[in-house]
Each structure stands twice: as structure tokens, then as C-alpha cells.
Amino acid sequence: QVQLVESGGGLVQTGGSLRLSCAASGFTVDDYTIGWFRQAPGKEREGVSCLTTSGLNIYYLDSVKGRFTISRDSARNTVYLQMYSLTPEDTAVYYCAAGRTCNGYMNTYTHRGRGTQVTVSS
């Protein structure tokens, strides 16, 4: 069964850290561009980070640059989003998706997860 499952979300205080995981089954993450997205209440979903198949191209939303890091573990068929220095503005449901190219439209990705909630308290 093809699926992506996010985990690692939770409640953290301002300045804290979380590592989100995106575990794939039914396909290999190495064969896809992987994107992380988030959607805060009342806001549009936005692309947070993207990692291409080659690993040579990595993109970050300006507001997370220097705080978030995307990485891939081929042996575990999992992609991670390490998040540091979290602020309440990072509160959102975080999704991962597997597709062919990096873009800001999660619906264009082939496989999409259901999300994990990240809440940052002030």
C-alpha cells in the first residue's frame, strides 16, 4: 500500500525543537522529490521545504531558513524535517508529499500524507 505517514508533531514551548518524520511505504523516497508543507488555522497552506531526488537542490521558506533542515534517510525510507527555535508562528499542521518537482502546490504531488500537528506555545 502506497502511503506517507507523518509523525513527531506535538506541543513545544517557544524556542524549542521538534523533528518531524515522513515515512514512506509502497514506494522509495529516493525516487521522488519530497516536500514539507504546513497549514495554520485560517491560513493558506504553504510550502516549507523541498528536497529533490538528487539531494543537490534544497529549498526553504524564507521564514524558516536557518531554523529548519530537511534530510532523507534512504535506509529507513524516511524524510525528516528538523525544526529549531520554534515560535508560535510555526504552529500548523505539517504535511509531507512526494512528487516530481519542487513547487508550492501540494495537490500536484503524487503522494500526500495526512499531517501532524505542531503547536508552539508562547
Side-chain angles (χ1 to χ4, degrees):
Q1 182 179 1
V2 173
Q3 62 178 353
L4 282 169
V5 178
E6 302 94 338
S7 62
L11 175 64
V12 64
Q13 291 184 331
T14 295
S17 304
L18 285 173
R19 188 179 76 160
L20 304 184
S21 299
C22 171
S25 58
F27 68 97
T28 302
V29 293
D30 288 352
D31 295 336
Y32 287 81
T33 286
I34 303 297
W36 281 97
F37 298 81
R38 69 185 182 186
Q39 187 165 20
K43 294 187 178 181
E44 297 281 325
R45 187 160 52 204
E46 60 183 355
V48 174
S49 184
C50 189
L51 174 66
T52 59
T53 53
S54 67
L56 296 178
N57 295 302
I58 299 176
Y59 303 97
Y60 293 101
L61 183 68
D62 283 347
S63 62
V64 308
K65 285 180 181 177
R67 300 189 298 120
F68 290 12
T69 302
I70 190 171
S71 63
R72 180 172 56 209
D73 186 333
S74 300
R76 290 181 167 81
N77 209 28
T78 298
V79 176
Y80 301 99
L81 186 68
Q82 178 69 55
M83 307 185 295
Y84 295 104
S85 301
L86 288 163
T87 74
E89 287 68 39
D90 296 314
T91 294
V93 178
Y94 283 71
Y95 304 87
C96 64
R100 293 304 177 190
T101 60
C102 285
N103 66 67
Y105 303 99
M106 183 173 154
N107 289 341
T108 67
Y109 284 62
T110 306
H111 307 301
R112 300 179 291 275
R114 295 189 174 185
T116 185
Q117 175 70 49
V118 171
T119 303
V120 185
S121 64
S122 58

